[in-house]
Amino acid sequence: MTSGTPTASTGETLSSPGPTTTGSRPSANSPTAPPTRPQSATGPSLAAGEAFIGHYVALLNHAYATGDTGPMMAASDKGCIGCKGVADYTKRYNATSGTLSGDYNDRLIDVKEIYRGKSGRLGGSATLKTGSYTERDSPSASPVPQGNLTGTMEFTLSPSGGNWVMYEMEIKE
């Protein structure tokens, strides 16, 4: 979101800290603990919602590396169809299983907009970029080149326990 842009329903403004990247992915042989929610992503503010998007991308990357979708799903609403779709994908394709290799991490480039709707949920979109990687149906299958794409994540966040969770998302490439 451009600095100083008013939100749709409250007139509240939010400054974007600029491009953000996620940390490096763990190796397939030594998965790390899932990322913890940063202090900046706690609470019900628009700024916390924007920081939560960065945290959620880190949770996605953890799932891609390990196949462990539990932390990502714990930060998602139980009815999030897009979240379940990504979880199903990462259970099948992940670095630990030998079915993903290369630079498969998503990088959060920018949260282009974020606004509070009448329902109290936050909505918006973010730009994501991925590197060049390969998928395999099994570790011994032929690699299928993927990646080097920039896409848009459209999202809706819902309040839960005083913080934001992913209510729905769709990633368009």
Side-chain angles (χ1 to χ4, degrees):
M1 177 174 184
T2 304
S3 179
T5 303
T7 62
S9 64
T10 65
E12 184 178 354
T13 61
L14 179 64
S15 296
S16 179
T20 306
T21 59
T22 58
S24 63
R25 70 183 186 282
S27 74
N29 295 328
S30 61
T32 62
T36 57
R37 184 187 291 255
Q39 184 62 35
S40 61
T42 60
S45 70
L46 286 173
E50 183 173 9
F52 174 75
I53 296 301
H55 173 61
Y56 199 82
V57 170
L59 292 171
L60 290 171
N61 289 333
H62 173 76
Y64 298 149
T66 65
D68 179 10
T69 62
M72 179 194 77
M73 293 306 291
S76 304
D77 183 83
K78 290 179 182 175
C80 181
I81 295 169
C83 304
K84 288 178 185 174
V86 171
D88 289 345
Y89 169 85
T90 57
K91 286 177 186 174
R92 180 170 181 187
Y93 298 102
N94 61 75
T96 301
S97 70
T99 55
L100 273 185
S101 62
D103 186 11
Y104 49 78
N105 272 352
D106 287 330
R107 290 164 187 80
L108 177 61
I109 304 301
D110 187 30
V111 176
K112 294 190 278 190
E113 62 178 327
I114 190 166
Y115 58 90
R116 189 180 309 271
K118 291 180 183 180
S119 69
R121 294 186 182 115
L122 298 184
S125 65
T127 303
L128 302 177
K129 182 163 181 57
T130 188
S132 181
Y133 64 98
T134 60
E135 291 179 350
R136 299 172 187 264
D137 284 333
S138 71
S140 61
S142 296
V144 178
Q146 303 287 337
N148 274 334
L149 299 171
T150 299
T152 300
M153 173 195 274
E154 294 179 356
F155 61 84
T156 303
L157 307 181
S158 181
S160 178
N163 290 313
W164 297 109
V165 296
M166 187 63 70
Y167 181 75
E168 193 54 74
M169 71 164 176
E170 181 178 5
I171 299 174
K172 299 177 178 181
E173 298 177 343

